Amino acid sequence: MADEPSADHLFPAVRPGAITLARHGEPALSRKIRLNAPAYGEWWARYEEGGLLPGQTPPASLLTTAQRAGVIVASTRRRSIETADAVAAGRVFARDPLFIEAPLPPPPWPPWIRMSPKNWGFFARFWWWFFDHHAGQESRAEADTRADQAADLLIGLSENGQEVLLIAHGFFNTMIGLSLQKRGLKKTLDQGFKYWCVKRFERV
């Protein structure tokens, strides 16, 4: 008597969909200024509330990814929502504070030290990452936990085979990507850290 076909043969497992992490478009707030540490803290607070610089066009590749995605998710920051609006072509997308950027409190340096927001961002991230300087905001350990939660949520959304597109923030996307890789996904595309750029992760 021939062997009966197994349930796995009759109903093969669904291959999880790809997960794409996109950085938002360019914000409107100018970086062409020099600030001391307290002023940078105020600048970052305005950056967190602001939207996109007008007149931008999403890359064709990101539009294609959005069309292919079964679900699109954005953080609750305005710059992420406006980016999602630009690529979703009228589709409804989810908004979740789980995906907001990790904080950037400036190091407590003397007020005579003045730098551009770009340089302050680098040193603030360095102090936050290596010295756990969080000034009462989210710590690195807390952000690591949040990144793991975000990765688990995205994996869950992709398990039925649909592709998932997250539109969020540069550094926290990197942290989510590390969590995805710890969970066995492989980075198959990395466009870097510029605005509108993406990183793609898949089960291989």
Side-chain angles (χ1 to χ4, degrees), residues 156-186:
L157 291 172
S158 72
E159 283 180 345
N160 66 353
Q162 67 182 353
E163 293 198 21
V164 178
L165 171 61
L166 170 67
I167 299 173
H169 307 272
F171 194 82
F172 195 64
N173 277 2
T174 297
M175 296 182 70
I176 295 172
L178 293 173
S179 293
L180 291 173
Q181 289 175 299
K182 286 191 300 184
R183 285 154 173 74
L185 279 72
K186 182 178 180 181

Side-chain angles (χ1 to χ4, degrees), residues 92-119:
V92 174
F93 57 87
R95 308 172 188 190
D96 195 323
L98 183 66
F99 301 108
I100 65 172
E101 182 62 289
L104 271 176
W109 291 353
W112 54 264
I113 297 178
R114 302 175 67 85
M115 294 185 288
S116 69
K118 180 179 180 180
N119 287 337

